[in-house]
Amino acid sequence: MTDMLVKLYDLPPLDACLENITSKGCTVRRAMAYEKTAVLDWLGSIAPHWVDECAAGFSHAPHKCFIATENGAVVGFAVYDVVIKNMFGPTLVDDRMRGKGLGTGLMLSCMHSMRNDGYGYAIIGGVGPKEYYAKTVGAVEIAGSTPGVYIDRLNQKKS
Ligand SMILES: CC(C)(COP(=O)(O)OP(=O)(O)OC[C@H]1O[C@@H](n2cnc3c(N)ncnc32)[C@H](O)[C@@H]1OP(=O)(O)O)[C@@H](O)C(=O)NCCC(=O)NCCS
């Protein structure tokens, strides 16, 4: 696991990516306050170790949590600014929904939002699929970033 750096001033456009997702009957959008329990319940059933970080995305206004939906159900999430400021992640898309552009839509939504917040670069924390991030947003590895901010962690039972 290593951190990666992304140039927010050189991002792929968001609109075409979101239009492609809509054409497949899905959406990617910012989560609403009244959806917090549904999002955390969904995530808790597949990746309980990320529930705390996802919940932190709901503690800002506007929320720093984006979700992917299909037929009114959540099928993916991504958060930013929750572990430390300027960091993207974690993120996850349901197994059965991968490869449809949802992960990229979630990531670009977060990163365009980060750029609008005034950041010049984003850190992708504790990667993960390095080739995917290099290909989609030109991310480069940050040397010596293991374990990075994930240091002195409590031993927890969550898998
Ligand atoms: C990473 C993840 C969010 C991508 O979601 P997705 O909806 O499948 O992403 P997209 O459909 O937008 O993009 C899929 C592309 O990424 C590539 N990709 C996905 N995971 C990859 C990996 N581990 N290594 C290399 N490429 C990967 C796919 O091959 C595909 O490429 P293509 O567009 O050329 O076909 C999803 O695979 C996931 O939930 N993984 C498990 C959790 C995880 O690793 N989170 C990231 C922690 S930093």
Side-chain angles (χ1 to χ4, degrees):
M1 299 242 292
T2 187
D3 295 341
M4 299 184 86
L5 196 66
V6 178
K7 298 171 185 166
L8 294 180
Y9 50 82
D10 194 23
L11 286 174
L14 180 60
D15 287 354
C17 177
L18 295 183
E19 279 164 23
N20 176 47
I21 288 167
T22 305
S23 74
K24 292 175 180 163
C26 298
T27 66
V28 166
R29 60 171 174 78
R30 202 180 289 271
M32 304 298 285
Y34 50 80
E35 296 169 323
K36 178 177 176 180
T37 303
V39 173
L40 298 185
D41 284 352
W42 162 79
L43 188 57
S45 70
I46 52 177
H49 53 289
W50 278 338
V51 167
D52 290 345
E53 285 153 292
C54 183
F58 284 88
S59 64
H60 305 264
H63 296 137
K64 299 190 176 185
C65 176
F66 281 82
I67 56 171
T69 74
E70 183 200 36
N71 297 325
V74 59
V75 295
F77 90 106
V79 290
Y80 65 96
D81 273 357
V82 300
V83 179
I84 56 168
K85 286 189 175 182
N86 206 14
M87 184 177 273
F88 166 77
T91 183
L92 179 141
V93 172
D94 260 348
D95 271 352
R96 66 179 182 85
M97 296 298 289
R98 290 182 191 169
K100 296 174 187 285
L102 296 176
T104 302
L106 288 163
M107 173 177 53
L108 286 182
S109 294
C110 288
M111 291 196 179
H112 278 267
S113 184
M114 292 168 87
R115 187 176 67 182
N116 291 338
D117 287 347
Y119 293 118
Y121 296 85
I123 300 158
I124 306 176
V127 177
K130 286 185 219 166
E131 302 81 7
Y132 166 66
Y133 290 120
K135 186 176 70 174
T136 49
V137 285
V140 293
E141 278 190 68
I142 300 174
S145 60
T146 306
V149 298
Y150 294 94
I151 202 165
D152 190 24
R153 297 185 70 154
L154 295 176
N155 293 317
Q156 295 181 85
K157 290 199 167 62
K158 293 175 186 174
S159 58

